[in-house]
Amino acid sequence: MAPQKTAKRKVAALPYNVRNTKAGKDKTTEPLFERRPRSFGIGQDIQPRADLTRFVKWPKYVLLQRQRKILRMRLKVPPAINQFTQTADRNTAVQLFKLLSKYRPETKQEKKTRLTAQAEKVAAGQKQQESEKPSVVKYGINHITSLVESKKAQLVVIANDVDPIEVKFCDKSVFVGND
């Protein structure tokens, strides 16, 4: 028999992307930034904080306001009701607040000074004059309703965020009924 040739076989070269990663590992490692994988088994590392907001027992008012928001998005609101959700623009609001500040109810201090001045006039022997009450802004849902029913209200301002909405319609029904 003829002697067999012993040929050394070459191993195939590594693919390019594997070659680069192997070369990167040969670099010196930083001891400051050593990778330490954590194990979250029983009695081992503490698990990272999870977002548990879905499982929180929210207060009743938070649940109600979220449900109300979803209902308002899903339901069609009649225009007569929807008009109360729109606020006045900034210029109108500024003019309104200027007007309301002119008719602001008097404070306790102002009332006291007005009444003491009136009492001094009476004590001095001057004729007591019938002074009319200063015209001021009236407020409160029941008071406003009675003023509207008696046709004494000249301007009614309603806040847009009144809740429950029926409070607004108490007055609205009064307006419609008084032609």
Side-chain angles (χ1 to χ4, degrees):
M1 268 183 126
Q4 291 185 354
K5 287 185 180 178
T6 54
K8 289 190 174 182
R9 293 186 179 190
K10 284 188 174 180
V11 178
L14 290 170
Y16 181 73
N17 59 355
V18 175
R19 241 184 289 161
N20 287 347
T21 56
K22 213 172 194 185
K25 286 185 179 178
D26 290 342
K27 291 182 181 176
T28 58
T29 57
E30 282 283 336
L32 289 176
F33 304 108
E34 203 172 304
R35 188 168 179 271
R36 297 188 201 109
R38 296 191 293 173
S39 171
F40 300 118
I42 296 174
Q44 296 180 18
D45 288 325
I46 298 171
Q47 289 191 341
R49 290 208 168 238
D51 185 17
L52 301 176
T53 52
R54 290 186 62 230
F55 307 107
V56 172
K57 183 171 175 23
W58 292 99
K60 191 85 169 192
Y61 78 95
V62 172
L63 294 175
L64 286 173
Q65 70 190 15
R66 288 179 180 171
Q67 290 169 352
R68 189 181 308 117
K69 181 182 177 187
I70 290 169
L71 269 175
R72 285 188 178 149
M73 285 189 325
R74 292 184 181 169
L75 294 177
K76 288 187 177 180
V77 182
I81 297 173
N82 193 46
Q83 70 180 350
F84 292 107
T85 60
Q86 298 163 349
T87 59
D89 62 329
R90 186 180 173 92
N91 292 335
T92 310
V94 168
Q95 289 175 347
L96 176 70
F97 288 130
K98 282 182 182 177
L99 176 73
L100 294 178
S101 66
K102 289 179 185 175
Y103 295 102
R104 182 183 302 179
E106 61 184 355
T107 62
K108 288 183 179 181
Q109 193 72 15
E110 292 170 346
K111 184 177 181 180
K112 185 177 179 181
T113 56
R114 181 175 58 89
L115 292 176
T116 53
Q118 193 175 18
E120 287 173 359
K121 286 181 181 179
V122 171
Q126 291 180 354
K127 205 181 211 181
Q128 184 179 357
Q129 295 175 352
E130 285 293 322
S131 63
E132 293 183 17
K133 287 184 181 177
S135 57
V136 295
V137 173
K138 310 293 184 190
Y139 52 92
I141 192 69
N142 292 331
H143 191 188
I144 297 300
T145 306
S146 64
L147 289 173
V148 170
E149 286 172 347
S150 61
K151 296 186 178 182
K152 290 184 181 176
Q154 296 174 345
L155 171 71
V156 178
V157 181
I158 303 173
N160 76 316
D161 60 349
V162 174
D163 197 46
I165 201 163
E166 289 83 22
V167 174
K168 294 178 192 176
F169 301 122
C170 169
D171 276 349
K172 181 67 176 167
S173 62
V174 169
F175 300 140
V176 174
N178 264 348
D179 286 335

